[in-house]
Amino acid sequence: MATDTLVTPARTAKAGPPAWRRLFGSWDAVLILALLVVVLVASATIEGVGSPRFYRFVALEAIPIALIALPMTLVIITGEIDLSVASTVGLTCSVLGQLWYLGVTSLPLLILLSLLLGAVLGAVNGVFITVFGLPSLAVTIGTLALYRGLAYVVLGDRAIADYPPTWTQNAVAPIPGTVIPWFVLVLAALAVVFGVLLYATPIGRSLYAIGNNAEASNFAGISVLRTKFWLFVATGAMAALAGVFWTFRFASARADNATGLELAVVAAVLLGGVSIFGGRGGLVGVIAAVALLGILRNALQLADVPANALTIVTGTLLILSVVGPNLVRMARERLRRRRPATTLERKPS
Amino acid sequence: MLPVLALEGVDKSFGAVAALRDARLELYAGEAHALVGENGAGKSTLVKILAGVHGPDTGSVLLDGQPVAFGSPADARAAGIAVIYQEPTLFPDLSVAENIFMGRQPLKGLRRIDAAAMRERTNELFARLGVRIDPDRPARGLSIADQQLVEIAKALSFDARVLVMDEPTAALSGVEVDRLFAVARSLRDNGAAILFISHRFDEVFSLCQRVTVMRDGRWIATDEIGNLTVDGVVRTMVGRDISALFPKMATEPGEVRLQVDGLTRHGYFDDVSFTVRGGEIVALAGLVGAGRSEVARAIFGVDRYDAGQVRVDGRPLRPGAPPAAIDAGLALVPEDRRQQGLVMELSIERNATLPRRWALSRLGLLFGGGERRSAAEWAKRLQVKAARNTDPVSTLSGGNQQKVVLAKWLSTAPRVLMIDEPTRGIDVGTKSEVHRLLSQLASEGVAVLMVSSELPEVLGMADRVLVMHEGRLVADIPRDQADEESVMFAATGQRGAAA
């Protein structure tokens, strides 16, 4: 390459490459491509995949995972993690069922109380992490066990299942004229809210700053601990919303509802390109990853792949998700280095 | 006569930053040779090449006229080159004798360490140096001066022929300096070559026979001390007059902007009180570890404090809350640019607008390119050299990174700017730009509190010099009375509280 293409200071501060170039070669693009390939191959080879019923089922299964993955993405971007979410779902289900059993019959009140409970459970995590300065991994492994235990205290072995049929039917009702569950619209609206929060607000800017360097964020006037506290509250509330949906979708509140769901959520977030070390990733990839994992799992089930093999596939994808974005980034770095414009002012690494 | 150790045409680059370009040096046996230059002139890189920490990109290191390649510090030590750093790195929990013989302990049967022999040989070394340190005491708790003597004893123990001393006197008292120099002179008279790096010219002129001046990584001149004057050496070092380098414009101090009363943080600083007026540049000077940065951090709210009060424009500032400090018009450019000043992985744009993220938003949203315009404007004003403002700041040189930090804080239009080591590790050109900028800000009525370890910077820029020693404010020296001596005296605790 000719050296006369070196950018002079007068020409600096140009916008980056066009959007399509940035998307091309990004992990998001890899995921969307993988999603298309899986859909096309599975539809052509596995009977039942690609039918409206199939997608309806995938959507119903993905809704609770996606609801929790939205705030979890933000939490992991700040370099923290919340493993107590599935237990929060379980405890919310149990309390919701017990309240109904004890005679609370107002649906709005039940939903409100559930969301409040979720927020409080998230706040408990938040207090341990931000006030006492404990690592979120340890704290939320603890509350994972604690909240599940409390769910058993509330319901024991009972299942509360006698909700009005309109509630349970409405929870899974399709958008008129389609087979898509209307709750997908709720999810879509929340995804937009979280997306705007992450990409286009001062709070979103602080989340990336915190995840990359909490000390420098503090020096820049970001309330690191307060921000993290409210993220855990939001995660608890969203897990509670997933609990409400779970209860009415299955018409059953049990203490063991959603056991193990936290792994599905974390797997989707990591596969979505969010760095487990914080500071990198976004919601587009995470939503694509939730869809990819849901379609893959259901397609393989239809193909009579045994459950053990399904676990292996999910595990392999999780490993790939940690390695993949790094490989993509290394490839892009190499491309960048070959372009003269960015070789200016490179400092020792 | 051949030089014991010589460098010829040595180049060394880190990435695109050239640290040394055609560096030269000749050290003869029996001479004390001074290496002077501003911070960033390449002295440290040169020392690291002599010490075997770095290898030269081109050029050669000659030992007794023969080219050598040091693969590691151990190679350099085996060749008889010992380096004494400003802050020695002893093992604090090992004894003095164990530190001296680390890795080379005298052995007796069954490869056991012969502690008695080690102690005896340590005593012999100390006797040669004419100092008294107990070989059995742990290194922890030794004064910096004594730690340096232990390092020198270590150098003697493997018959070092070249002793490199990198700013050894920066943290020493007058008596300690005299003792160190007595040791250095006797080593020199016994045929050792000493390379002495210092910013203190009285020491250079009292100890050394020859002086080598470096600037911007290049060899500039080497001459006998008898042909030189202090003024001449300084002019050669900076390549221009010192007054032109630090252009502080005279301003009429305005209202008190920052008022600090009895600020105390146990274990760090004690009962610190001072004021800074609008239009004033006040320097906070002192030795490393005197508590200067800690005071600035506490004022800004990054650290809590135990007692005292901070007022900005007469209003008390909530302690421990940087957002409140920013709202009150305070800005802090921290000491550690890479860890505290910037989020290295994020773009210039994001870094430059981080403290103003709420101010730039409309209805809490950041649509419409407000950040991009703000960053572009400030990058242009401060002449940040970057390919694109969306590139991560980690791709910039140190000087340009510092400009991004400055852009970040100047864009908040601060009423009080605290700046910790404003020109550390940046090139000479950018340095004078930063100084001009600070001067301009002061003339616009900003109160500037500058923490700096570089005396020329302190003396050139400050309207008043506050000096800290061991956590206390010990002197408040007006511009016309501040000189190297008065500041260093106060900083080393030589004089009682003059404040």
Side-chain angles (χ1 to χ4, degrees), chain A residues 12-16 200-202 205 212-213 215-216 219 221-222 341-342 345-348, chain B residues 14 16 300 323 338-340 343 350 357 364-366 371 386-388 394-397 409:
Chain A
T12 60
K14 282 276 157 61
T201 68
R205 299 287 187 266
N212 277 306
N213 185 336
E215 190 182 4
F219 272 90
I222 294 169
T342 51
E345 296 284 345
R346 186 167 290 277
K347 59 130 195 58
Chain B
F14 299 99
F300 192 65
R338 305 175 58 83
Q339 192 54 37
Q340 301 167 341
V343 181
R350 289 292 153 80
R357 63 199 183 284
L365 296 178
L366 284 165
E371 289 169 295
R388 281 183 294 266
S394 58
T395 60
L396 302 180
S397 69
W409 288 111

mmCIF file of all heavy atoms in Angstrom, chain A residues 12-16 200-202 205 212-213 215-216 219 221-222 341-342 345-348, chain B residues 14 16 300 323 338-340 343 350 357 364-366 371 386-388 394-397 409:
data_model
loop_
_atom_site.group_PDB
_atom_site.id
_atom_site.type_symbol
_atom_site.label_atom_id
_atom_site.label_comp_id
_atom_site.label_asym_id
_atom_site.label_seq_id
_atom_site.Cartn_x
_atom_site.Cartn_y
_atom_site.Cartn_z
ATOM 1 N N THR A 12 -8.475 14.273 9.871
ATOM 2 C CA THR A 12 -8.868 13.337 10.918
ATOM 3 C C THR A 12 -10.334 13.506 11.266
ATOM 4 O O THR A 12 -11.021 14.363 10.725
ATOM 5 C CB THR A 12 -8.053 13.552 12.199
ATOM 6 O OG1 THR A 12 -8.289 14.877 12.634
ATOM 7 C CG2 THR A 12 -6.599 13.291 11.963
ATOM 8 N N ALA A 13 -10.785 12.681 12.202
ATOM 9 C CA ALA A 13 -12.137 12.793 12.735
ATOM 10 C C ALA A 13 -13.195 12.510 11.685
ATOM 11 O O ALA A 13 -14.298 13.024 11.741
ATOM 12 C CB ALA A 13 -12.376 14.180 13.339
ATOM 13 N N LYS A 14 -12.854 11.727 10.661
ATOM 14 C CA LYS A 14 -13.880 11.253 9.744
ATOM 15 C C LYS A 14 -14.690 10.158 10.442
ATOM 16 O O LYS A 14 -14.211 9.505 11.356
ATOM 17 C CB LYS A 14 -13.226 10.678 8.480
ATOM 18 C CG LYS A 14 -12.751 11.746 7.518
ATOM 19 C CD LYS A 14 -13.892 12.222 6.625
ATOM 20 C CE LYS A 14 -13.654 13.613 6.066
ATOM 21 N NZ LYS A 14 -12.473 13.713 5.242
ATOM 22 N N ALA A 15 -15.903 9.968 9.955
ATOM 23 C CA ALA A 15 -16.698 8.881 10.511
ATOM 24 C C ALA A 15 -16.023 7.556 10.183
ATOM 25 O O ALA A 15 -15.200 7.478 9.275
ATOM 26 C CB ALA A 15 -18.091 8.917 9.923
ATOM 27 N N GLY A 16 -16.353 6.508 10.900
ATOM 28 C CA GLY A 16 -15.754 5.201 10.678
ATOM 29 C C GLY A 16 -16.230 4.596 9.371
ATOM 30 O O GLY A 16 -16.838 5.278 8.536
ATOM 31 N N ALA A 200 -28.476 4.303 23.558
ATOM 32 C CA ALA A 200 -28.743 5.718 23.275
ATOM 33 C C ALA A 200 -29.042 6.534 24.519
ATOM 34 O O ALA A 200 -29.726 7.542 24.437
ATOM 35 C CB ALA A 200 -29.900 5.834 22.275
ATOM 36 N N THR A 201 -28.546 6.102 25.670
ATOM 37 C CA THR A 201 -28.746 6.939 26.853
ATOM 38 C C THR A 201 -27.428 7.069 27.611
ATOM 39 O O THR A 201 -26.521 6.254 27.452
ATOM 40 C CB THR A 201 -29.777 6.343 27.832
ATOM 41 O OG1 THR A 201 -29.229 5.149 28.393
ATOM 42 C CG2 THR A 201 -31.099 6.060 27.163
ATOM 43 N N PRO A 202 -27.333 8.100 28.460
ATOM 44 C CA PRO A 202 -26.134 8.258 29.295
ATOM 45 C C PRO A 202 -25.884 7.025 30.159
ATOM 46 O O PRO A 202 -24.731 6.665 30.411
ATOM 47 C CB PRO A 202 -26.475 9.466 30.164
ATOM 48 C CG PRO A 202 -27.474 10.228 29.387
ATOM 49 C CD PRO A 202 -28.274 9.216 28.635
ATOM 50 N N ARG A 205 -24.062 4.425 28.146
ATOM 51 C CA ARG A 205 -22.647 4.789 28.030
ATOM 52 C C ARG A 205 -21.886 4.383 29.299
ATOM 53 O O ARG A 205 -20.766 3.896 29.238
ATOM 54 C CB ARG A 205 -22.490 6.293 27.826
ATOM 55 C CG ARG A 205 -23.147 6.826 26.575
ATOM 56 C CD ARG A 205 -22.393 6.427 25.323
ATOM 57 N NE ARG A 205 -22.947 7.101 24.146
ATOM 58 C CZ ARG A 205 -23.872 6.575 23.358
ATOM 59 N NH1 ARG A 205 -24.330 5.362 23.571
ATOM 60 N NH2 ARG A 205 -24.319 7.255 22.330
ATOM 61 N N ASN A 212 -15.523 -1.878 31.292
ATOM 62 C CA ASN A 212 -14.146 -1.849 30.836
ATOM 63 C C ASN A 212 -13.191 -1.381 31.914
ATOM 64 O O ASN A 212 -12.060 -1.850 31.994
ATOM 65 C CB ASN A 212 -14.001 -0.933 29.615
ATOM 66 C CG ASN A 212 -14.377 -1.634 28.336
ATOM 67 O OD1 ASN A 212 -13.846 -2.694 28.034
ATOM 68 N ND2 ASN A 212 -15.323 -1.080 27.615
ATOM 69 N N ASN A 213 -13.611 -0.424 32.726
ATOM 70 C CA ASN A 213 -12.697 0.131 33.725
ATOM 71 C C ASN A 213 -13.514 0.877 34.779
ATOM 72 O O ASN A 213 -13.831 2.048 34.626
ATOM 73 C CB ASN A 213 -11.688 1.066 33.050
ATOM 74 C CG ASN A 213 -10.638 1.579 34.011
ATOM 75 O OD1 ASN A 213 -10.864 1.616 35.221
ATOM 76 N ND2 ASN A 213 -9.508 1.975 33.486
ATOM 77 N N GLU A 215 -12.664 1.883 37.711
ATOM 78 C CA GLU A 215 -11.961 2.965 38.387
ATOM 79 C C GLU A 215 -12.023 4.253 37.572
ATOM 80 O O GLU A 215 -12.363 5.320 38.104
ATOM 81 C CB GLU A 215 -10.496 2.570 38.633
ATOM 82 C CG GLU A 215 -9.778 3.545 39.530
ATOM 83 C CD GLU A 215 -8.312 3.187 39.752
ATOM 84 O OE1 GLU A 215 -7.836 2.214 39.142
ATOM 85 O OE2 GLU A 215 -7.666 3.899 40.533
ATOM 86 N N ALA A 216 -11.742 4.145 36.266
ATOM 87 C CA ALA A 216 -11.810 5.334 35.419
ATOM 88 C C ALA A 216 -13.241 5.863 35.359
ATOM 89 O O ALA A 216 -13.462 7.067 35.272
ATOM 90 C CB ALA A 216 -11.295 5.011 34.018
ATOM 91 N N PHE A 219 -13.784 7.976 38.319
ATOM 92 C CA PHE A 219 -13.124 9.266 38.123
ATOM 93 C C PHE A 219 -13.902 10.152 37.150
ATOM 94 O O PHE A 219 -13.723 11.365 37.156
ATOM 95 C CB PHE A 219 -11.694 9.065 37.595
ATOM 96 C CG PHE A 219 -10.669 8.905 38.681
ATOM 97 C CD1 PHE A 219 -10.363 7.649 39.173
ATOM 98 C CD2 PHE A 219 -10.010 9.994 39.207
ATOM 99 C CE1 PHE A 219 -9.418 7.487 40.172
ATOM 100 C CE2 PHE A 219 -9.062 9.844 40.208
ATOM 101 C CZ PHE A 219 -8.768 8.590 40.696
ATOM 102 N N GLY A 221 -17.069 10.467 37.160
ATOM 103 C CA GLY A 221 -18.323 10.891 37.771
ATOM 104 C C GLY A 221 -19.480 9.937 37.560
ATOM 105 O O GLY A 221 -20.636 10.346 37.619
ATOM 106 N N ILE A 222 -19.178 8.673 37.295
ATOM 107 C CA ILE A 222 -20.243 7.679 37.176
ATOM 108 C C ILE A 222 -20.430 7.015 38.536
ATOM 109 O O ILE A 222 -19.450 6.610 39.163
ATOM 110 C CB ILE A 222 -19.879 6.623 36.111
ATOM 111 C CG1 ILE A 222 -19.827 7.272 34.737
ATOM 112 C CG2 ILE A 222 -20.865 5.462 36.131
ATOM 113 C CD1 ILE A 222 -19.218 6.393 33.667
ATOM 114 N N ALA A 341 -4.530 3.829 7.551
ATOM 115 C CA ALA A 341 -5.082 4.951 8.310
ATOM 116 C C ALA A 341 -4.939 4.742 9.808
ATOM 117 O O ALA A 341 -4.701 5.681 10.548
ATOM 118 C CB ALA A 341 -6.549 5.144 7.955
ATOM 119 N N THR A 342 -5.072 3.501 10.253
ATOM 120 C CA THR A 342 -5.064 3.295 11.692
ATOM 121 C C THR A 342 -3.678 2.966 12.221
ATOM 122 O O THR A 342 -3.522 2.724 13.390
ATOM 123 C CB THR A 342 -6.026 2.161 12.070
ATOM 124 O OG1 THR A 342 -5.714 1.056 11.242
ATOM 125 C CG2 THR A 342 -7.453 2.572 11.890
ATOM 126 N N GLU A 345 0.119 6.722 14.951
ATOM 127 C CA GLU A 345 0.096 6.937 16.388
ATOM 128 C C GLU A 345 -0.195 5.672 17.173
ATOM 129 O O GLU A 345 -0.853 5.705 18.199
ATOM 130 C CB GLU A 345 -0.966 7.992 16.779
ATOM 131 C CG GLU A 345 -0.700 9.369 16.234
ATOM 132 C CD GLU A 345 0.387 10.081 16.985
ATOM 133 O OE1 GLU A 345 0.737 9.636 18.090
ATOM 134 O OE2 GLU A 345 0.899 11.071 16.461
ATOM 135 N N ARG A 346 0.223 4.528 16.655
ATOM 136 C CA ARG A 346 0.015 3.321 17.443
ATOM 137 C C ARG A 346 1.027 3.311 18.565
ATOM 138 O O ARG A 346 2.198 3.549 18.367
ATOM 139 C CB ARG A 346 0.183 2.095 16.556
ATOM 140 C CG ARG A 346 -0.149 0.804 17.239
ATOM 141 C CD ARG A 346 -0.260 -0.287 16.203
ATOM 142 N NE ARG A 346 -1.442 -0.109 15.383
ATOM 143 C CZ ARG A 346 -2.645 -0.519 15.756
ATOM 144 N NH1 ARG A 346 -2.825 -1.111 16.899
ATOM 145 N NH2 ARG A 346 -3.677 -0.343 14.972
ATOM 146 N N LYS A 347 0.582 3.042 19.749
ATOM 147 C CA LYS A 347 1.497 3.093 20.888
ATOM 148 C C LYS A 347 1.952 1.678 21.231
ATOM 149 O O LYS A 347 1.348 0.714 20.778
ATOM 150 C CB LYS A 347 0.804 3.726 22.101
ATOM 151 C CG LYS A 347 -0.428 2.975 22.543
ATOM 152 C CD LYS A 347 -0.355 2.721 24.011
ATOM 153 C CE LYS A 347 -1.351 1.681 24.418
ATOM 154 N NZ LYS A 347 -1.239 0.407 23.763
ATOM 155 N N PRO A 348 3.019 1.566 22.011
ATOM 156 C CA PRO A 348 3.484 0.209 22.344
ATOM 157 C C PRO A 348 2.418 -0.558 23.100
ATOM 158 O O PRO A 348 1.701 0.011 23.921
ATOM 159 C CB PRO A 348 4.691 0.470 23.246
ATOM 160 C CG PRO A 348 4.527 1.880 23.724
ATOM 161 C CD PRO A 348 3.798 2.604 22.659
ATOM 162 N N PHE B 14 9.109 1.880 20.611
ATOM 163 C CA PHE B 14 8.001 1.088 21.142
ATOM 164 C C PHE B 14 6.817 1.374 20.238
ATOM 165 O O PHE B 14 6.248 2.459 20.294
ATOM 166 C CB PHE B 14 7.692 1.479 22.578
ATOM 167 C CG PHE B 14 8.854 1.251 23.506
ATOM 168 C CD1 PHE B 14 9.680 2.291 23.877
ATOM 169 C CD2 PHE B 14 9.126 -0.026 23.981
ATOM 170 C CE1 PHE B 14 10.745 2.077 24.711
ATOM 171 C CE2 PHE B 14 10.200 -0.245 24.813
ATOM 172 C CZ PHE B 14 11.011 0.807 25.192
ATOM 173 N N ALA B 16 5.067 2.837 17.336
ATOM 174 C CA ALA B 16 5.436 3.945 16.464
ATOM 175 C C ALA B 16 6.179 5.037 17.220
ATOM 176 O O ALA B 16 6.583 6.027 16.646
ATOM 177 C CB ALA B 16 4.189 4.527 15.808
ATOM 178 N N PHE B 300 -11.923 15.774 45.140
ATOM 179 C CA PHE B 300 -12.828 15.418 44.041
ATOM 180 C C PHE B 300 -13.873 14.396 44.469
ATOM 181 O O PHE B 300 -14.910 14.253 43.835
ATOM 182 C CB PHE B 300 -12.009 14.863 42.872
ATOM 183 C CG PHE B 300 -12.783 14.722 41.593
ATOM 184 C CD1 PHE B 300 -13.278 15.843 40.948
ATOM 185 C CD2 PHE B 300 -13.015 13.472 41.033
ATOM 186 C CE1 PHE B 300 -13.987 15.726 39.770
ATOM 187 C CE2 PHE B 300 -13.717 13.347 39.852
ATOM 188 C CZ PHE B 300 -14.209 14.481 39.215
ATOM 189 N N PRO B 323 -19.822 12.816 41.226
ATOM 190 C CA PRO B 323 -20.842 13.519 40.428
ATOM 191 C C PRO B 323 -21.191 14.889 41.020
ATOM 192 O O PRO B 323 -21.368 15.859 40.282
ATOM 193 C CB PRO B 323 -22.049 12.568 40.479
ATOM 194 C CG PRO B 323 -21.463 11.227 40.727
ATOM 195 C CD PRO B 323 -20.285 11.469 41.623
ATOM 196 N N ARG B 338 -3.866 5.851 32.108
ATOM 197 C CA ARG B 338 -4.362 4.608 31.513
ATOM 198 C C ARG B 338 -5.372 3.906 32.412
ATOM 199 O O ARG B 338 -6.249 3.198 31.942
ATOM 200 C CB ARG B 338 -3.190 3.666 31.214
ATOM 201 C CG ARG B 338 -2.135 4.308 30.352
ATOM 202 C CD ARG B 338 -0.947 3.381 30.205
ATOM 203 N NE ARG B 338 -1.348 2.114 29.647
ATOM 204 C CZ ARG B 338 -1.498 1.899 28.354
ATOM 205 N NH1 ARG B 338 -1.262 2.862 27.505
ATOM 206 N NH2 ARG B 338 -1.872 0.731 27.909
ATOM 207 N N GLN B 339 -5.220 4.080 33.714
ATOM 208 C CA GLN B 339 -6.103 3.345 34.614
ATOM 209 C C GLN B 339 -7.237 4.218 35.144
ATOM 210 O O GLN B 339 -8.310 3.730 35.452
ATOM 211 C CB GLN B 339 -5.266 2.778 35.780
ATOM 212 C CG GLN B 339 -5.977 1.759 36.644
ATOM 213 C CD GLN B 339 -6.549 0.621 35.846
ATOM 214 O OE1 GLN B 339 -5.974 0.163 34.868
ATOM 215 N NE2 GLN B 339 -7.740 0.166 36.229
ATOM 216 N N GLN B 340 -6.983 5.536 35.286
ATOM 217 C CA GLN B 340 -7.974 6.397 35.920
ATOM 218 C C GLN B 340 -8.523 7.461 34.978
ATOM 219 O O GLN B 340 -9.669 7.865 35.100
ATOM 220 C CB GLN B 340 -7.340 7.094 37.135
ATOM 221 C CG GLN B 340 -6.824 6.107 38.156
ATOM 222 C CD GLN B 340 -5.934 6.752 39.194
ATOM 223 O OE1 GLN B 340 -5.403 7.842 38.987
ATOM 224 N NE2 GLN B 340 -5.774 6.088 40.324
ATOM 225 N N VAL B 343 -10.949 5.253 29.699
ATOM 226 C CA VAL B 343 -11.329 3.857 29.515
ATOM 227 C C VAL B 343 -10.687 3.451 28.199
ATOM 228 O O VAL B 343 -11.167 3.808 27.126
ATOM 229 C CB VAL B 343 -12.857 3.692 29.471
ATOM 230 C CG1 VAL B 343 -13.231 2.233 29.314
ATOM 231 C CG2 VAL B 343 -13.487 4.272 30.728
ATOM 232 N N ARG B 350 -16.286 8.565 22.949
ATOM 233 C CA ARG B 350 -16.955 8.176 24.192
ATOM 234 C C ARG B 350 -16.201 8.695 25.403
ATOM 235 O O ARG B 350 -16.795 9.195 26.359
ATOM 236 C CB ARG B 350 -17.062 6.655 24.286
ATOM 237 C CG ARG B 350 -18.049 6.062 23.324
ATOM 238 C CD ARG B 350 -19.468 6.456 23.681
ATOM 239 N NE ARG B 350 -20.339 6.470 22.513
ATOM 240 C CZ ARG B 350 -20.879 5.391 21.977
ATOM 241 N NH1 ARG B 350 -20.661 4.222 22.509
ATOM 242 N NH2 ARG B 350 -21.645 5.476 20.927
ATOM 243 N N ARG B 357 -22.190 13.240 29.600
ATOM 244 C CA ARG B 357 -23.166 12.413 28.910
ATOM 245 C C ARG B 357 -24.595 12.856 29.182
ATOM 246 O O ARG B 357 -25.442 12.796 28.303
ATOM 247 C CB ARG B 357 -22.961 10.940 29.266
ATOM 248 C CG ARG B 357 -23.162 10.619 30.725
ATOM 249 C CD ARG B 357 -22.517 9.291 31.107
ATOM 250 N NE ARG B 357 -22.798 9.000 32.507
ATOM 251 C CZ ARG B 357 -22.190 9.592 33.524
ATOM 252 N NH1 ARG B 357 -21.254 10.504 33.289
ATOM 253 N NH2 ARG B 357 -22.505 9.318 34.758
ATOM 254 N N GLY B 364 -33.003 12.647 28.145
ATOM 255 C CA GLY B 364 -32.320 11.433 28.559
ATOM 256 C C GLY B 364 -31.851 10.566 27.410
ATOM 257 O O GLY B 364 -31.370 9.467 27.636
ATOM 258 N N LEU B 365 -31.987 11.065 26.188
ATOM 259 C CA LEU B 365 -31.581 10.253 25.039
ATOM 260 C C LEU B 365 -30.390 10.894 24.328
ATOM 261 O O LEU B 365 -30.264 12.116 24.270
ATOM 262 C CB LEU B 365 -32.732 10.114 24.041
ATOM 263 C CG LEU B 365 -33.950 9.365 24.565
ATOM 264 C CD1 LEU B 365 -35.048 9.334 23.520
ATOM 265 C CD2 LEU B 365 -33.567 7.947 24.961
ATOM 266 N N LEU B 366 -29.517 10.045 23.783
ATOM 267 C CA LEU B 366 -28.308 10.517 23.110
ATOM 268 C C LEU B 366 -28.404 10.287 21.609
ATOM 269 O O LEU B 366 -27.535 9.685 21.011
ATOM 270 C CB LEU B 366 -27.080 9.810 23.676
ATOM 271 C CG LEU B 366 -26.614 10.296 25.045
ATOM 272 C CD1 LEU B 366 -25.653 9.313 25.659
ATOM 273 C CD2 LEU B 366 -25.980 11.663 24.926
ATOM 274 N N GLU B 371 -22.749 13.952 20.919
ATOM 275 C CA GLU B 371 -21.440 13.483 21.385
ATOM 276 C C GLU B 371 -20.400 13.630 20.293
ATOM 277 O O GLU B 371 -19.283 14.077 20.542
ATOM 278 C CB GLU B 371 -21.528 11.988 21.747
ATOM 279 C CG GLU B 371 -22.315 11.672 22.993
ATOM 280 C CD GLU B 371 -22.560 10.175 23.093
ATOM 281 O OE1 GLU B 371 -23.281 9.640 22.220
ATOM 282 O OE2 GLU B 371 -22.044 9.543 24.004
ATOM 283 N N ALA B 386 -5.467 11.769 15.552
ATOM 284 C CA ALA B 386 -6.033 10.433 15.502
ATOM 285 C C ALA B 386 -6.632 10.228 14.133
ATOM 286 O O ALA B 386 -7.014 11.193 13.460
ATOM 287 C CB ALA B 386 -7.115 10.276 16.566
ATOM 288 N N ALA B 387 -6.672 8.976 13.693
ATOM 289 C CA ALA B 387 -7.252 8.702 12.388
ATOM 290 C C ALA B 387 -8.744 9.001 12.423
ATOM 291 O O ALA B 387 -9.283 9.672 11.558
ATOM 292 C CB ALA B 387 -6.999 7.250 11.999
ATOM 293 N N ARG B 388 -9.414 8.529 13.457
ATOM 294 C CA ARG B 388 -10.865 8.705 13.580
ATOM 295 C C ARG B 388 -11.219 8.850 15.047
ATOM 296 O O ARG B 388 -10.602 8.215 15.897
ATOM 297 C CB ARG B 388 -11.601 7.474 13.029
ATOM 298 C CG ARG B 388 -11.718 7.421 11.540
ATOM 299 C CD ARG B 388 -12.519 6.211 11.139
ATOM 300 N NE ARG B 388 -11.804 4.989 11.483
ATOM 301 C CZ ARG B 388 -11.009 4.345 10.635
ATOM 302 N NH1 ARG B 388 -10.863 4.788 9.419
ATOM 303 N NH2 ARG B 388 -10.393 3.257 11.008
ATOM 304 N N SER B 394 -6.769 3.579 23.143
ATOM 305 C CA SER B 394 -5.552 2.786 23.323
ATOM 306 C C SER B 394 -4.653 2.847 22.106
ATOM 307 O O SER B 394 -3.476 2.520 22.188
ATOM 308 C CB SER B 394 -5.924 1.333 23.630
ATOM 309 O OG SER B 394 -6.709 0.814 22.589
ATOM 310 N N THR B 395 -5.176 3.293 20.937
ATOM 311 C CA THR B 395 -4.333 3.357 19.738
ATOM 312 C C THR B 395 -3.556 4.667 19.665
ATOM 313 O O THR B 395 -2.769 4.852 18.753
ATOM 314 C CB THR B 395 -5.180 3.233 18.459
ATOM 315 O OG1 THR B 395 -6.126 4.300 18.429
ATOM 316 C CG2 THR B 395 -5.926 1.911 18.407
ATOM 317 N N LEU B 396 -3.758 5.572 20.637
ATOM 318 C CA LEU B 396 -3.096 6.870 20.573
ATOM 319 C C LEU B 396 -1.774 6.859 21.332
ATOM 320 O O LEU B 396 -1.554 6.042 22.215
ATOM 321 C CB LEU B 396 -3.986 7.949 21.185
ATOM 322 C CG LEU B 396 -5.367 8.147 20.577
ATOM 323 C CD1 LEU B 396 -6.097 9.254 21.310
ATOM 324 C CD2 LEU B 396 -5.261 8.469 19.107
ATOM 325 N N SER B 397 -0.919 7.838 21.020
ATOM 326 C CA SER B 397 0.313 8.028 21.791
ATOM 327 C C SER B 397 -0.029 8.669 23.133
ATOM 328 O O SER B 397 -1.120 9.202 23.322
ATOM 329 C CB SER B 397 1.262 8.938 21.031
ATOM 330 O OG SER B 397 0.728 10.247 20.999
ATOM 331 N N TRP B 409 -12.318 16.860 30.259
ATOM 332 C CA TRP B 409 -12.629 17.717 31.407
ATOM 333 C C TRP B 409 -12.841 19.156 31.026
ATOM 334 O O TRP B 409 -13.679 19.838 31.613
ATOM 335 C CB TRP B 409 -11.534 17.569 32.470
ATOM 336 C CG TRP B 409 -11.671 16.229 33.115
ATOM 337 C CD1 TRP B 409 -10.814 15.171 33.008
ATOM 338 C CD2 TRP B 409 -12.776 15.769 33.897
ATOM 339 N NE1 TRP B 409 -11.315 14.098 33.679
ATOM 340 C CE2 TRP B 409 -12.510 14.435 34.233
ATOM 341 C CE3 TRP B 409 -13.960 16.355 34.334
ATOM 342 C CZ2 TRP B 409 -13.395 13.661 34.996
ATOM 343 C CZ3 TRP B 409 -14.842 15.601 35.093
ATOM 344 C CH2 TRP B 409 -14.547 14.276 35.411
#
